[in-house]
Amino acid sequence: MNKLIFASLLLYAASQTGECITGGKEAVAHSYPYMASLQWNGKHECGGFLISSQWVMSAAHCFQDGRTSGVKVMLGAHSLDDAEDTKQTFEVTAVYNHPDFKISNYDNDIALLKLDKSITESDAVKPVKFLREGGSDPEEAAAVKTVGWGSLNNLGGRPDKLQELGIKVMERWLCGRGDYYGTKFTNNMLCAAEKRKDTCDGDSGGPLLYKDIAVGITSNGGKKCGSTKKPGLYTIISHYTKWIDSKITQ
């Protein structure tokens, strides 16, 4: 390949990274002590978040291909690779996908993971409160936050250290418009993004936070992260209170 053409392609690819999670930044270490890394064969694949001493919430689509065995949950991490004495790693004894999860449109994209033992609570490992039925979900234009170790750009580059991102809830009518998500956008979802601010591959299952309470689960988006008409989709947690209680109390 002509060197000039190759250089131009690299420059074009680099310019596309601005379409993704730029606008985010590295989080203060252990400032999200409930954040979990879901790993297969030691590799981070999805996020999750601790909701009690032995339960982690995540996204059902992370397990859609039957990958319920061999998953490990790492808590207390800031760097995925560095040795940190705050880290606690767990086996998973059960994975519960919502029975009405639909891969066709990612409706009901919520999963619960039971850890093989209770956590040792510390400043770096502790549960987060999640919004329950009857609580106030964030309204349109509300400022929300999300965190994850997902890709920094559409080329697949992933960070070693946890990233945080501030975005805003978008208008429901817009997300349901035909050139956005159309009928695939259901009442169980909200969408949130800003220009050049979005979640990406590997962020799935992480929390959407409003006033330090988990209100959503990072679910889905466009084929390209940061696409204007395919903002990030988040499962509304308050719609699943009865199902969550039925699993964690059984």
Side-chain angles (χ1 to χ4, degrees), residues 41-57:
N41 299 316
K43 181 183 177 184
H44 172 85
E45 294 289 353
C46 279
F49 48 103
L50 188 71
I51 60 169
S52 72
S53 63
Q54 209 170 345
W55 288 90
V56 166
M57 190 176 291

Side-chain angles (χ1 to χ4, degrees), residues 12 15 22 32 35 39 62 85 99 101 125 138 153 158 220 222 232:
Y12 173 77
S15 72
T22 40
Y32 300 92
M35 190 61 193
Q39 304 181 353
C62 292
D85 58 12
F101 168 64
V125 178
N153 52 56
R158 288 191 178 180
N220 193 20

Side-chain angles (χ1 to χ4, degrees), residues 4-205:
L4 182 59
I5 294 174
F6 182 68
S8 297
L9 286 172
L10 282 180
L11 184 61
Y12 173 77
S15 72
Q16 299 309 295
T17 64
E19 288 289 302
C20 197
I21 207 168
T22 40
K25 62 181 180 180
E26 181 181 335
V28 174
H30 311 301
S31 55
Y32 300 92
Y34 39 83
M35 190 61 193
S37 169
L38 276 53
Q39 304 181 353
W40 282 262
N41 299 316
K43 181 183 177 184
H44 172 85
E45 294 289 353
C46 279
F49 48 103
L50 188 71
I51 60 169
S52 72
S53 63
Q54 209 170 345
W55 288 90
V56 166
M57 190 176 291
S58 187
H61 79 262
C62 292
F63 306 94
Q64 63 179 314
D65 56 1
R67 294 189 309 167
T68 56
S69 62
V71 60
K72 292 189 177 181
V73 174
M74 180 185 289
L75 294 162
H78 180 59
S79 163
L80 292 176
D81 295 332
D82 293 350
E84 296 173 330
D85 58 12
T86 52
K87 287 180 178 177
Q88 298 179 37
T89 303
F90 301 85
E91 304 284 344
V92 175
T93 60
V95 176
Y96 298 102
N97 278 359
H98 195 278
D100 296 327
F101 168 64
K102 296 177 182 175
I103 191 59
S104 58
N105 65 348
Y106 285 67
D107 197 20
N108 306 301
D109 193 9
I110 179 172
L112 292 169
L113 286 68
K114 187 175 185 180
L115 306 180
D116 61 338
K117 58 183 181 291
S118 294
I119 62 161
T120 301
E121 190 163 322
S122 68
D123 288 341
V125 178
K126 61 180 66 174
V128 65
K129 290 182 179 179
F130 62 89
L131 193 65
R132 299 178 65 84
E133 186 177 16
S136 298
D137 285 298
E139 297 180 352
E140 295 169 358
V144 289
K145 289 193 298 184
T146 186
V147 288
W149 288 278
S151 298
L152 294 171
N153 52 56
N154 286 297
L155 303 177
R158 288 191 178 180
D160 173 56
K161 295 178 172 64
L162 186 66
Q163 306 290 305
E164 64 179 2
L165 181 70
I167 47 181
K168 289 184 178 179
V169 176
M170 295 178 62
E171 297 94 334
R172 295 196 64 83
W173 67 266
L174 185 60
C175 297
R177 210 168 73 179
D179 56 340
Y180 277 65
Y181 287 107
T183 56
K184 289 187 175 182
F185 183 66
T186 76
N187 289 334
N188 296 316
M189 306 170 183
L190 61 79
C191 62
E194 289 184 54
K195 187 176 182 180
R196 298 177 186 257
K197 292 184 177 185
D198 196 7
T199 43
C200 199
D201 178 52
D203 288 320
S204 294

